[in-house]
Amino acid sequence: MPFILIIGLAVFAYLFYTGKISKNAIFPIILGLVALFLFSRGLFPQGAITTAIAGFLGRGFLRKMIASKFKQSSDSLSSPDPIPDDVIQARALLGVKADDDDATIKRKYRKLLEEHHPDRGGDEDYARAINLAKDTLIKYRLNN
């Protein structure tokens, strides 16, 4: 029986180290392992009391494991979508922040395009990039 206890401790340590067991589940697991040790040494009475203790500890462990799994899944569902790279690059090109409105985006777009327009000696590719950045940000704000 001590061999089973050592295996149980090793499995517990592995699961805790890999993060598959939450910190809230440590206490019931430790109590269960202590009860298993005492039972293996003959210090626990056999029968109804041992069954009740094992059921109580198992129920607490399962509740905490299930609750932690639901919390993890709800956290992953509620996390916001990552911002696409083209939106980040468009913000950097136009010099706008994430919380700027459409009017600010258009104002900074006009200012940059006025400086870099091909008819005024600016680079044609850079002007296209400015137009694309404005369109990307407006489209992203409409969809989100």
Side-chain angles (χ1 to χ4, degrees):
M1 190 55 102
F3 182 70
I4 293 174
L5 187 63
I6 291 170
I7 295 292
L9 282 172
V11 168
F12 165 71
Y14 170 75
L15 292 175
F16 181 71
Y17 179 74
T18 58
K20 296 184 180 185
I21 294 179
S22 67
K23 292 181 180 180
N24 297 335
I26 293 174
F27 185 70
I29 292 172
I30 297 293
L31 283 178
L33 290 173
V34 168
L36 179 65
F37 175 74
L38 293 176
F39 180 72
S40 69
R41 296 290 180 205
L43 300 174
F44 255 174
Q46 296 178 354
I49 295 175
T50 306
T51 305
I53 290 172
F56 176 75
L57 293 175
R59 187 186 93 214
F61 171 70
L62 287 176
R63 273 188 185 169
K64 291 182 188 272
M65 288 298 291
I66 290 170
S68 69
K69 290 294 179 190
F70 278 123
K71 183 176 186 288
Q72 289 172 358
S73 65
S74 68
D75 288 346
S76 66
L77 289 176
S78 65
S79 65
D81 292 333
I83 299 172
D85 288 338
D86 57 342
V87 172
I88 294 172
Q89 291 172 353
R91 284 180 184 160
L93 180 65
L94 294 179
V96 296
K97 299 177 188 161
D99 57 348
D100 286 346
D101 59 348
D102 289 344
T104 306
I105 293 171
K106 288 178 182 176
R107 187 176 64 245
K108 292 198 177 191
Y109 156 76
R110 284 189 198 111
K111 182 180 176 187
L112 268 177
L113 195 60
E114 192 175 291
E115 293 174 11
H116 300 285
H117 198 277
D119 292 345
R120 295 187 178 183
D123 185 21
E124 190 174 318
D125 291 332
Y126 194 65
R128 276 194 206 121
I130 293 170
N131 281 326
L132 183 62
K134 185 219 25 147
D135 294 340
T136 301
L137 289 178
I138 297 296
K139 189 184 304 182
Y140 181 74
R141 285 186 50 82
L142 287 176
N143 292 334
N144 294 329

